[in-house]
Amino acid sequence: MPDVPENRSFDLSNKMQSRLHDLVPGGSHTYSRGSDQYPEFMTPILTRGDGCHVWDVDGNEYVEYGMGLRSVTLGHGYRPVVEAVCAAIADGMNFSRPTELELAAAEDFLEMVPTAEMVKFAKNGSDVTTAAVRLARAATGRVKVAACLQPFFSTDDWFIGTTEMSGGIPETARQETVRFPYNDLPSLAAVLESDDFACVILEAATSTTEPEPGYLEGVRRLCDEHGALLIIDEMITGFRWSAHGAQSIYGIQPDLSCWGKAMGNGFPISALAGKRAFMELGGLRTDRERVFLLSTTHGPERGSLAAFRAVVRAYAGDDPIGRMEHAGRLLADGVQAAVREQGLSDHLQVVGRPSCLTFVTRDTELAPSQAYRTLFLQELIARGVLGQSFVTSAAHADLDIEATVDAVRCALPVYRRAIESGSVEGLLEGRPVAPAIRQYAAPRRIDAFLPNDTGREAMWG
């Protein structure tokens, strides 16, 4: 590997990753955490974290970005959250009746999200987006879903059927969802013209796209005109744009909204929130046919509810969003300055909201390039920076940002050599990363082999 500044070994991580591929389809329980999303032979298996730092099984330390797929905003091991969880679970996790934490957490949530009148907790984002779609279908008597052309909404058929990875999903389910582009009201109007859509689902904004003036108001108006419910996905924007969600920033009132990720600072919790008239269809105070809305064994377990309440207290008593944005601005300015010094401003950009930055890598023809992205990741990992993005947390201190900018500055000469030669050949070890959601395992297919006890002994001793 070229120009590695220190002797970092990935031997044990690579052995464990290989073993994971024996035991877990894809070698990871989340596709975006997969080994195909990182440089080959540099796939750290992590052991612990503290703030914005993580350590792998080989003893390597990193400044981490992405922070648990954006689920950690306060930092790994944030003590007030950990202590609240430990105190709660010491008296039991799960019971046969609701606990007082369910009431307290619901009150906390609805105080933070004034557009909602009722809330129901679950574990994953997909749980609540699919529940929202089901509720919209029941409320309207319609089936079709208009889903914005944004990266991800659910693991369930109604959404995954619209992606390249649609194997195993009936064609009828694929046809029930229609995609429409963001910031394009005429396209949404054309979709809804048939008046047979149960709902419109979209993120109010993304890391790289802001709503144009009047866009979200227009979406609300079109939903009202055509009798479709408006569902706002706050998985990423909630607790990162604002503790009250992006809907509070842009002044949009959804019928239903879906929350998750940073609600528990990494602990598993999500929420479906919305207007009482719709939410009650899943309850006991309706004369209409009931909706099987959400009913999960682990949805109200005490650990995650305690984590959520501790997160609420942290946001009320401090300004974690301000600290995330400060770190992001500092990082973007530093990286962009280093890129300009190398004359690479056309080939490498940092874009997005300061608290949710991504980097764009381009080749010699200025086309977005997975190969050049992988080269950049390779050089950052070798220098102690881990992440598929530059998404910050409130734990990223100025010194962490300075260390990251230094790592970028040292990595850029390798990137420049690739641009000047017109290829990453000889500079990139292994194959480029590939999209997480794709139809076939190629171009990062892993050869199969039988489980090997000898390999296990080599890992565990």
Side-chain angles (χ1 to χ4, degrees), residues 22-107:
D22 281 344
L23 306 178
V24 178
S28 171
H29 291 284
T30 315
Y31 285 116
S32 55
R33 287 185 171 102
S35 61
D36 58 345
Q37 303 305 292
Y38 289 86
E40 217 162 10
F41 317 122
M42 295 177 76
T43 53
I45 303 298
L46 303 181
T47 60
R48 66 186 182 94
D50 182 16
C52 67
H53 291 247
V54 294
W55 289 260
D56 69 18
V57 293
D58 293 286
N60 300 312
E61 180 180 355
Y62 307 88
V63 179
E64 189 199 5
Y65 292 92
M67 301 300 291
L69 309 183
R70 303 184 182 95
S71 70
V72 177
T73 55
L74 302 173
H76 300 299
Y78 181 73
R79 296 318 302 171
V81 170
V82 172
E83 289 165 4
V85 171
C86 289
I89 66 176
D91 293 324
M93 284 279 288
N94 219 328
F95 303 97
S96 298
R97 284 285 295 147
T99 68
E100 82 287 358
L101 271 176
E102 293 180 49
L103 175 58
E107 289 175 338

Side-chain angles (χ1 to χ4, degrees), residues 187-209:
S187 71
L188 178 58
V191 167
L192 297 180
E193 202 169 46
S194 61
D195 284 336
D196 59 353
F197 281 82
C199 58
V200 172
I201 184 168
L202 80 164
E203 295 176 275
T206 69
S207 64
T208 57
T209 54

